[in-house]
Amino acid sequence: LGIFTIGLPIRPDIPIIVACFLYPMWAGRLASALKRRALGVAEDDGVSVADGRVLVYDRLADFGIALCVIIAVLEILSLELGVAFTSLLALSGASSVVVALACQDPLSQVIQGLLLTFNDKFRPGDEIKFGDVAGVVTAMGWFDTKIRLYSERTVVVPNSKIMAEPLVNLSRQRWGQYRTELRLRLEDADRVEATIDEIKRGLAGVPCVITRGRNLWVHWREIAKDALVLVVDVKIAYPGGSTPFYDAVQVCNGKIRDAVRGAGADFCIPTSRRI
């Protein structure tokens, strides 16, 4: 209306063209909102808490809605303005090869994103680790995934890279394994059995150490040239790599130190040091 008022020339069919785009887009957004409500996709502080397969259905439905909107726009254009819909299809078919070549990498990223979500390797909010990347997943997109590192920096990783790397979901681990090697003095050979008993007794008193079955191992593995080698292998009731896990490791190391000293033994001094 403002354009007509100031006297600028305008084609009479411009409002029709604008309406042809706006109404289908509005209907598409409404359908997307109803779809998300039906699937129960919730948002909690910007992080989706939906099931992995539900997210796949959500994305596929978004693609179907977008396709319906495009077809509706073309149909309205053909009815209102006489644009030949079959001609548009023919043109799109002729250019499909060029578009496919140009969009080969983006389409690959989209497929990898769907596979990643459908496999349910992780969800937004999970703590994951792969390659040199470790942190909390904040968002999963069509082309990439956003991960908040432990340094509070956010990185955007292509979905294809995540699919190509061995991945560990720390949030789904129920326990972690801690293994360490102790080197005692050669003159403590008569105290090794007492030291092992003290270490087992000390570690068994740690609440987070699992003692059922063979989960608490302490063995005298080797008599080296300069030391007696003991191996301690315990299972801890926290996911490996998490902060509670390393806190528990610190407690276990303290118990091992006290047990060695309590048995009258001591750690040996290395005969060589790496600079």
Side-chain angles (χ1 to χ4, degrees):
L1 181 60
I3 296 178
F4 285 111
T5 303
I6 62 178
L8 293 178
I10 184 173
R11 293 180 52 179
D13 55 357
I14 290 296
I16 299 177
I17 297 176
V18 174
C20 290
F21 285 96
L22 292 181
Y23 283 115
M25 291 176 63
W26 173 81
R29 290 181 64 87
L30 179 61
S32 179
L34 294 175
K35 174 263 306 177
R36 292 181 66 84
R37 182 179 296 273
L39 291 177
V41 178
E43 298 292 332
D44 183 17
D45 293 333
V47 177
S48 177
V49 295
D51 182 78
R53 288 182 173 82
V54 173
L55 291 177
V56 174
Y57 302 148
D58 180 58
R59 294 184 180 181
L60 292 177
D62 282 338
F63 179 78
I65 292 173
L67 184 61
C68 291
V69 169
I70 294 174
I71 294 177
V73 170
L74 294 177
E75 284 285 359
I76 295 174
L77 288 175
S78 64
L79 291 175
E80 297 292 337
L81 304 178
V83 180
F85 183 58
T86 55
S87 300
L88 292 175
L89 291 179
L91 180 61
S92 63
S95 59
S96 60
V97 176
V98 178
V99 174
L101 292 176
C103 299
Q104 185 175 6
D105 186 65
L107 288 176
S108 174
Q109 297 289 351
V110 170
I111 294 174
Q112 296 288 353
L114 288 174
L115 292 176
L116 190 64
T117 309
F118 193 76
N119 290 338
D120 203 22
K121 290 186 176 181
F122 57 85
R123 304 174 189 174
D126 285 354
E127 184 178 2
I128 64 173
K129 180 179 180 181
F130 62 94
D132 56 350
V133 178
V136 178
V137 179
T138 58
M140 299 175 62
W142 285 95
F143 302 98
D144 47 48
T145 298
K146 294 182 180 180
I147 301 174
R148 187 177 68 249
L149 305 179
Y150 298 134
S151 61
E152 296 301 326
R153 299 176 60 186
T154 299
V155 296
V156 180
V157 185
N159 291 327
S160 58
K161 180 179 180 180
I162 300 177
M163 289 292 292
E165 294 276 354
L167 185 142
V168 179
N169 192 329
L170 301 177
S171 298
R172 298 183 183 179
Q173 289 184 345
R174 295 179 297 175
W175 51 267
Q177 199 77 18
Y178 173 56
R179 186 180 185 275
T180 186
E181 183 180 282
L182 309 179
R183 298 175 65 84
L184 304 183
R185 301 174 303 181
L186 291 175
E187 55 264 32
D188 292 329
D190 295 335
R191 304 182 183 91
V192 170
E193 288 81 4
T195 302
I196 292 176
D197 292 339
E198 288 291 332
I199 292 175
K200 287 183 177 179
R201 189 178 301 110
L203 292 179
V206 179
C208 59
V209 172
I210 302 174
T211 57
R212 298 185 302 273
R214 297 186 299 174
N215 296 319
L216 175 55
W217 286 0
V218 183
H219 296 293
W220 184 3
R221 293 290 180 88
E222 183 184 356
I223 301 178
K225 293 187 298 182
D226 59 342
L228 308 174
V229 181
L230 276 65
V231 175
V232 179
D233 195 344
V234 298
K235 184 180 290 186
I236 297 175
Y238 295 115
S242 63
T243 299
F245 173 81
Y246 289 120
D247 291 340
V249 168
Q250 179 175 323
V251 174
C252 290
N253 287 335
K255 293 292 185 181
I256 293 172
R257 176 204 58 202
D258 296 340
V260 172
R261 293 178 178 176
D266 202 354
F267 300 102
C268 74
I269 299 176
T271 56
S272 63
R273 294 185 178 181
R274 182 176 301 174
I275 300 176

